[in-house]
Amino acid sequence: MATDHGLTKDAILSSVSGYRELGEAGASKAALEKSFERDKLNLRQLGVPIETLGDTADPEDLRSARYRIAIGEYSLPDDIEFTPAETALLHLAGSVWGEGSMTDAARSGLRKIRALGNEVDEPIIGFAPRISMREPSFAPIERAIDQCRSVNFAYLKPGERTPRVRRVEPLALVEYEARWHVFGFDRDAGAERTFLLSRIVGDVTITRQSYARDKRKDAGERALAGLRDVASRNIAHLEVNPGTEASLRLARRALPADQGLRAPFVDAHIFADELASYGPEVRVVEPADLRDKVIERLQGALRAHEEPS
């Protein structure tokens, strides 16, 4: 970073701390070069832009190549500045996501922000929530979206005994009603569809088939709009015991009714699972189909506990 012209591999191996000590300890040049190539790859995967400059007469000849980190690519533009409070909020936003859930671009952005050197001592930084990905399909689908690649996965719909393979161009991952969905173009149906990650069975396969990056434009907004539209047409009238966990969780996304709450929902099977988990804290007044599904789950739990171990 300190030179515009870059450094040769030999200069790096002889001057950078770590390589120099290994060389003085008797490590062979082949071992040092192997370590150098591994470290170079790791840095690039972390988002550090390492440039390789070949001979000006023969750019393809890398025997005397020089390496540099372009300051302009690593740092933020000169016209962007953050106050300490803004920097604290950016750190907070970054800390919400586990490293395994962040894209390479997001990790690179965080490093640029930290490179500013601003003091981050705002009290809010101590209150970072965490978003954990319990769905194993999240990471490969996120990677496929980042690469604009199609995916194949087995999907099990309610009422079906065997999953069916779906071929999808994933365009966005969205969270709705505390559950993650993938929105994309279903290649077999020839239309955009939304799939619940918890219903994906087995591994997600990223294919070699790519799609145009502009298809991702506003995909998240379209997905959420579609989910909200479905929810607006499915309203449950619930009676909820006040001061309970059910009251706390359901009131955040429901509207008060003359007696109880009116809660929109997208998927009756998933919502029935949630309502049944509250036990006697909630009762479904209507629709009858949702009430029947909750009763069925409670009766199943009862039968499971009555059976001998």
Side-chain angles (χ1 to χ4, degrees):
M1 293 178 68
T3 172
D4 291 334
H5 303 290
L7 296 173
T8 64
K9 185 189 298 185
D10 287 341
I12 293 172
L13 294 179
S14 62
S15 61
V16 173
S17 178
Y19 297 128
R20 184 179 62 247
E21 286 79 1
L22 286 173
E24 292 172 351
S28 67
K29 186 174 182 179
L32 290 174
E33 290 186 349
K34 185 176 180 179
S35 178
F36 172 81
E37 293 299 328
R38 183 182 63 248
D39 293 341
K40 185 173 63 175
L41 176 61
N42 288 339
L43 285 171
R44 281 175 170 157
Q45 289 176 339
L46 288 170
V48 179
I50 300 175
E51 294 184 350
T52 303
L53 309 175
D55 191 296
T56 54
D58 184 6
E60 299 301 320
D61 183 5
L62 298 181
R63 288 176 297 179
S64 58
R66 308 178 77 86
Y67 301 90
R68 72 176 181 183
I69 296 174
I71 300 294
E73 293 294 326
Y74 188 68
S75 59
L76 289 169
D78 293 336
D79 58 348
I80 293 181
E81 295 182 357
F82 297 117
T83 65
E86 289 170 336
T87 304
L89 287 172
L90 288 166
H91 274 278
L92 176 63
S95 66
V96 168
W97 292 91
E99 279 291 309
S101 302
M102 293 180 68
T103 64
D104 291 340
R107 276 192 286 267
S108 177
L110 268 183
R111 268 184 292 278
K112 290 181 180 183
I113 292 167
R114 289 168 181 154
L116 293 173
N118 288 4
E119 291 294 326
V120 182
D121 56 1
E122 298 292 320
I124 193 173
I125 206 66
F127 299 92
R130 301 298 297 173
I131 294 180
S132 59
M133 293 300 104
R134 292 177 295 178
E135 308 296 345
S137 58
F138 186 97
I141 290 177
E142 182 189 42
R143 189 162 60 252
I145 293 173
D146 197 40
Q147 298 172 355
C148 295
R149 296 287 185 89
S150 295
V151 296
N152 296 337
F153 54 78
Y155 193 74
L156 184 62
K157 293 180 64 175
E160 296 183 352
R161 292 184 176 274
T162 56
R164 185 159 60 93
V165 175
R166 303 298 183 99
R167 302 186 307 136
V168 178
E169 295 175 357
L171 305 177
L173 282 162
V174 295
E175 187 265 355
Y176 192 76
E177 292 183 349
R179 296 173 185 87
W180 284 96
H181 305 72
V182 56
F183 173 77
F185 184 80
D186 188 321
R187 299 171 70 94
D188 294 317
E192 292 181 339
R193 294 286 189 268
T194 303
F195 302 92
L196 193 64
L197 293 197
S198 61
R199 289 195 178 133
I200 293 178
V201 181
D203 296 332
V204 174
T205 301
I206 302 177
T207 72
R208 294 180 177 273
Q209 295 175 315
S210 60
Y211 60 85
R213 186 172 293 270
D214 58 7
K215 282 190 175 183
R216 297 186 340 200
K217 184 177 180 182
D218 301 325
E221 289 77 3
R222 296 201 306 277
L224 290 173
L227 290 168
R228 293 189 189 106
D229 180 63
V230 173
S232 68
R233 292 184 272 111
N234 293 282
I235 305 296
H237 182 191
L238 309 172
E239 290 182 349
V240 185
N241 293 351
T244 60
E245 180 189 3
S247 174
L248 175 65
R249 292 183 178 275
L250 293 169
R252 291 184 296 186
R253 61 179 193 267
L255 296 174
D258 293 337
Q259 184 176 353
L261 300 172
R262 297 187 64 81
F265 63 93
V266 171
D267 187 299
H269 295 271
I270 296 295
F271 196 38
D273 289 342
E274 178 185 353
L275 296 177
S277 73
Y278 299 131
E281 296 178 0
V282 61
R283 185 174 74 87
V284 180
V285 179
E286 58 179 4
D289 177 64
L290 178 64
R291 182 173 63 246
D292 291 343
K293 285 181 171 57
V294 173
I295 292 173
E296 179 184 345
R297 284 156 174 75
L298 294 173
Q299 289 175 337
L302 177 61
R303 288 193 299 272
H305 285 78
E306 287 177 340
E307 294 174 357
S309 300

